[in-house]
Amino acid sequence: MIVVRSRDKWKYIEALHKSDLKVGTEPSAGARATIKQIISFLNYFKHLVATELKYSIDFVTETSPDVWWYDGKKIVFRSPSTAAILKAIYENPEITVDEIAAKAGIVARAVKNS
């Protein structure tokens, strides 16, 4: 299964719209469409599959603790303390600023500025 992410929903809708213009809006017409008629959607779908496959491969092969993944995007932190702060908050949403600072090995003021 492939999920169309909300931020890319407009690309999906646009590809369907272009195909509908060539095929017609009735579902039965789409069921009998030729590849030439749905080429816009086919190209969109090929790109979506390739992008999601690359994301999945990158996700399972990444080993850096400074890399996090969010909504299909790779996020690389410049400071190792940022990843440590996020990890601490993820593990304990009720954590205090002082506890975060201790886990990240930084002063509490730096946590407040992050």
Side-chain angles (χ1 to χ4, degrees):
M1 177 167 81
I2 292 182
V3 174
V4 176
R5 299 182 190 279
S6 295
R7 70 173 181 277
D8 293 331
K9 185 178 176 181
W10 68 271
K11 292 177 186 176
Y12 170 77
I13 291 171
E14 182 65 23
L16 281 178
H17 174 68
K18 286 180 180 178
S19 294
D20 282 348
L21 290 175
K22 293 180 182 177
V23 175
T25 56
E26 302 233 359
S28 60
R32 294 185 302 275
T34 65
I35 296 293
K36 186 176 179 180
Q37 289 174 306
I38 62 163
I39 195 71
S40 296
F41 186 76
L42 182 62
N43 289 337
Y44 162 80
F45 194 74
K46 283 180 183 179
H47 178 73
L48 176 65
V49 169
T51 301
E52 289 297 315
L53 186 57
K54 181 178 180 343
Y55 168 78
S56 296
I57 291 169
D58 288 347
F59 180 81
V60 297
T61 58
E62 183 60 58
T63 58
S64 173
D66 297 330
V67 174
W68 281 48
W69 302 88
Y70 177 74
D71 194 27
K73 293 201 177 213
K74 180 179 182 177
I75 301 168
V76 182
F77 297 112
R78 293 181 294 205
S79 168
S81 61
T82 306
I85 291 168
L86 288 174
K87 183 179 180 194
I89 294 169
Y90 175 77
E91 290 173 350
N92 178 9
E94 304 295 322
I95 195 167
T96 67
V97 171
D98 290 332
E99 291 170 329
I100 293 170
K103 283 194 175 228
I106 57 178
V107 296
R109 195 161 119 212
V111 174
K112 293 176 185 176
N113 291 335
S114 295

